[in-house]
Amino acid sequence: MNKPTYFETRPVGPDTTALISYLPVPGFGVLPVNAFVIAAKEPVLMDTGLAVVREDFMQALRDVVDPLNLRWIWITHADADHVGNLQAVLDAAPNARIVTNFLGMGKLAMQQLPLDRVFLLNPNQHLNVGDRLLQAVAPPSYDAPETTGLYDPSSQSLFSADCFGALLETPVSTAADIPAGALREGSIAWASVDAPWLQLVDTDKFRACLAAISTLKARTVFSSHLPPACDMIDRLLQYLADARRAPAFVGPDQRMLENMLAA
């Protein structure tokens, strides 16, 4: 992957702002990489983006919220595209605590991040951010076992981490801007890459995981790797169910990579 094509900040809801970059994926298009700021009474930053866009990310964060007022940094999981600027945010926001779970804390501790600033939260538990309770949610697909998303009942928004991501041909503003066929294909492709274990899970157990997300009745899905998706949760759940039956992903080998880079 090369340097992100661009970085932008965009309001995506009445109290939610997205900090967005796109990574080019040779031969497949682009992958959105999103972080979010929830303007709660105690502001929340969800994930910290890519280190390669640190200057843009930190300036965008300051434009959205004074780091001194930031209270919570919700880390969905410890992958590089989600914690790339975590230390920089911690330095700029001395009053903020990291929301994660026990396994996430262990991974972050290996990066020498301060454990005294950690707040542990498990799925189905709630975080009080002053004007609302945010519910921790275990997404039905993930690439790291500590992955924890959140559901904000005040806006009926589901922040789903890697789940419901998609490889796209080009950057777009919303998931509704993507032709249905392309969104389905991109969603299945991403799920096959990000969660290769899907083909191995029990059908009934996986169906129960999808049903648990459906019962939230989220109006908007904010995925780390998809533009905002409004009134599309049933469609996205169906794409994920389809991905479980898709062929296993086999990536390019070195020769194919060299040909793509040359092109």
Side-chain angles (χ1 to χ4, degrees):
M1 293 185 182
N2 298 319
K3 187 174 181 179
T5 53
Y6 67 88
F7 185 90
E8 68 169 315
T9 305
R10 186 189 325 131
V12 291
D15 57 3
T16 303
T17 300
L19 285 60
I20 308 163
S21 56
Y22 282 87
L23 277 175
V25 183
F28 294 92
V30 296
L31 178 68
V33 179
N34 305 319
F36 301 94
V37 176
I38 304 173
K41 184 176 181 181
E42 297 179 5
V44 181
L45 171 64
M46 169 155 278
D47 287 334
T48 66
L50 294 156
V52 71
V53 295
R54 178 164 301 158
E55 184 176 342
D56 289 334
F57 184 93
M58 294 304 297
Q59 184 57 56
L61 179 62
R62 292 185 180 97
D63 290 342
V64 176
V65 59
D66 183 341
L68 294 177
N69 294 329
L70 188 65
R71 290 296 180 269
W72 304 100
I73 307 167
W74 190 301
I75 297 299
T76 60
H77 58 301
D79 284 1
D81 55 330
H82 298 260
V83 299
N85 299 302
L86 178 53
Q87 187 60 64
V89 175
L90 285 170
D91 291 343
N95 299 312
R97 297 182 69 180
I98 304 167
V99 181
T100 183
N101 54 30
F102 187 73
L103 179 56
M105 180 182 70
K107 287 188 174 183
L108 295 175
M110 288 189 286
Q111 301 180 40
Q112 299 183 333
L113 293 170
L115 297 186
D116 60 340
R117 295 183 66 178
V118 167
F119 185 93
L120 294 186
L121 200 70
N122 291 319
N124 297 319
Q125 293 184 325
H126 295 81
L127 178 69
N128 188 337
V129 294
D131 57 355
R132 69 196 76 183
L133 294 176
L134 302 179
Q135 178 183 342
V137 174
S141 73
Y142 50 86
D143 68 354
E146 75 273 14
T147 299
T148 307
L150 72 81
Y151 179 67
D152 180 355
S154 68
S155 60
Q156 293 182 277
S157 298
L158 174 65
F159 296 79
S160 61
D162 281 8
C163 186
F164 305 127
L167 293 167
L168 308 178
E169 290 186 7
T170 58
V172 295
S173 296
T174 71
D177 297 325
I178 307 167
L183 179 57
R184 179 180 185 276
E185 182 178 339
S187 298
I188 291 175
W190 172 248
S192 299
V193 172
D194 193 61
W197 48 265
L198 282 176
Q199 290 82 4
L200 307 177
V201 301
D202 177 84
T203 300
D204 291 337
K205 290 181 178 179
F206 189 61
R207 187 180 294 120
C209 292
L210 299 180
I213 296 299
S214 180
T215 59
L216 295 174
K217 300 190 181 301
R219 290 291 308 277
T220 306
V221 173
F222 294 121
S223 170
S224 299
H225 300 301
L226 184 74
C230 186
D231 296 322
M232 296 178 68
I233 184 62
D234 291 338
R235 190 191 309 182
L236 294 176
L237 287 168
Q238 183 58 56
Y239 294 160
L240 194 54
D242 294 343
R244 199 191 69 80
R245 299 186 293 271
F249 173 78
V250 178
D253 59 17
Q254 182 60 27
R255 183 176 179 180
M256 293 174 66
L257 175 61
E258 290 173 357
N259 290 338
M260 286 188 292
L261 293 176

